[in-house]
């Protein structure tokens, strides 16, 4: 029996994540993953089991790289308006700074895989629920102490901001114009008042 090649798993998952962001799940072949990661087919399957296993690992890494820092930022205790603006500005900056126009893996998975794959659906729901919870908490606390009006449900506003962030990513893939994207972000912030 041949020896399984050793490789840096995180580096391979990052390379795979970038391929999935550029090509989507269905548009990515196993050969694309082999080419991007530099890992042989046998080693890739030994480590992840399948193409879907690589995709799920990529979703986990995406969550750690993008969603978790945003959630931690929201829990940082700064004034709500500043936090919410910072989250939207960070979203716009990431879109505009991405010259490769890579898709958000969560948005891509929601569109491409959620209806067909329960494990992917669970990943998307979990990541979205975590972000929604953090946003909702910031908004509810800001409403309680008068930073934001309490006329709208905090959870509904959190969902509205998530929809706005996902919409910004879609629009940014079409035309990553910072001025236009920031106009949308500013309109979303005004809607909280």
């Amino acid at each position: 029996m041949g020896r399984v090649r050793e490789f840096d798993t995180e580096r391979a998952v990052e390379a795979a994540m970038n391929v999935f962001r550029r090509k989507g799940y269905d548009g990515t072949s196993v050969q694309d993953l082999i080419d991007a990661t530099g890992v042989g087919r046998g080693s890739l399957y030994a480590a992840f089991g399948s193409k879907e296993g690589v995709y799920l690992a990529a979703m986990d890494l995406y969550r750690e790289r993008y969603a978790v820092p945003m959630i931690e930022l929201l829990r940082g205790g700064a004034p709500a308006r500043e936090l919410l603006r910072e989250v939207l500005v960070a979203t716009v900056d990431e879109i505009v700074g991405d010259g490769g126009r890579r898709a958000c893996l969560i948005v891509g998975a929601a569109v491409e895989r959620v209806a067909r794959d329960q494990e992917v659906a669970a990943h998307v729901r979990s990541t979205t629920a975590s972000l929604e919870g953090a946003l909702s908490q910031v908004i509810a606390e800001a409403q309680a102490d008068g930073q934001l009006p309490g006329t709208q449900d905090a959870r509904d506003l959190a969902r509205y901001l998530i929809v706005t962030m996902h919409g910004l990513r879609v629009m940014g893939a079409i035309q990553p114009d910072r001025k236009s994207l920031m106009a949308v972000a500013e309109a979303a912030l005004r809607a909280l008042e």
Side-chain angles (χ1 to χ4, degrees):
M1 184 168 171
R3 186 175 160 262
V4 176
R5 181 177 164 208
E6 292 182 22
F7 60 93
D8 182 332
T9 305
E10 186 171 340
R11 191 172 292 162
V13 171
E14 181 175 11
M17 177 183 73
N18 289 326
V19 173
F20 287 127
R21 289 183 70 192
R22 280 193 315 275
K23 295 181 140 194
Y25 180 86
D26 290 336
T28 299
S29 68
V30 172
Q31 189 60 49
D32 290 332
L33 296 174
I34 291 167
D35 293 344
T37 63
V39 176
R41 184 178 303 266
S43 295
L44 204 60
Y45 279 102
F48 302 103
S50 64
K51 175 183 163 183
E52 182 176 286
V54 178
Y55 189 66
L56 293 171
M59 289 187 73
D60 287 339
L61 180 61
Y62 188 86
R63 176 187 171 109
E64 289 302 312
R65 291 267 175 91
Y66 297 99
V68 169
M70 192 170 287
I71 291 165
E72 289 172 355
L73 172 70
L74 287 165
R75 293 185 176 145
R81 288 178 195 274
E82 288 177 27
L83 283 175
L84 299 174
R85 186 171 199 291
E86 192 170 343
V87 164
L88 290 174
V89 169
T91 301
V92 169
D93 287 345
E94 197 236 324
I95 294 164
V96 173
D98 178 19
R101 294 193 185 177
R102 295 172 298 169
C104 168
L105 204 56
I106 300 303
V107 172
V111 171
E112 188 179 25
R113 302 290 306 158
V114 162
R116 298 181 285 165
D117 188 320
Q118 290 305 310
E119 215 169 342
V120 169
H123 271 69
V124 170
R125 278 193 290 274
S126 171
T127 300
T128 302
S130 296
L131 183 56
E132 180 184 310
L135 284 165
S136 182
Q137 183 176 349
V138 166
I139 293 166
E141 288 172 3
Q143 288 174 330
D145 68 15
Q147 290 181 58
L148 291 173
T151 55
Q152 300 179 69
D153 182 76
R155 189 152 304 271
D156 290 344
L157 290 173
R159 289 179 182 142
Y160 170 74
L161 289 175
I162 290 170
V163 169
T164 300
M165 287 187 285
H166 290 332
L168 285 168
R169 291 183 184 285
V170 171
M171 291 307 297
I174 298 165
Q175 180 60 43
D177 174 61
R178 189 173 204 289
K179 183 178 178 184
S180 297
L181 296 174
M182 279 306 301
V184 172
E186 295 295 346
L189 291 169
R190 286 192 303 275
L192 299 177
E193 299 173 356

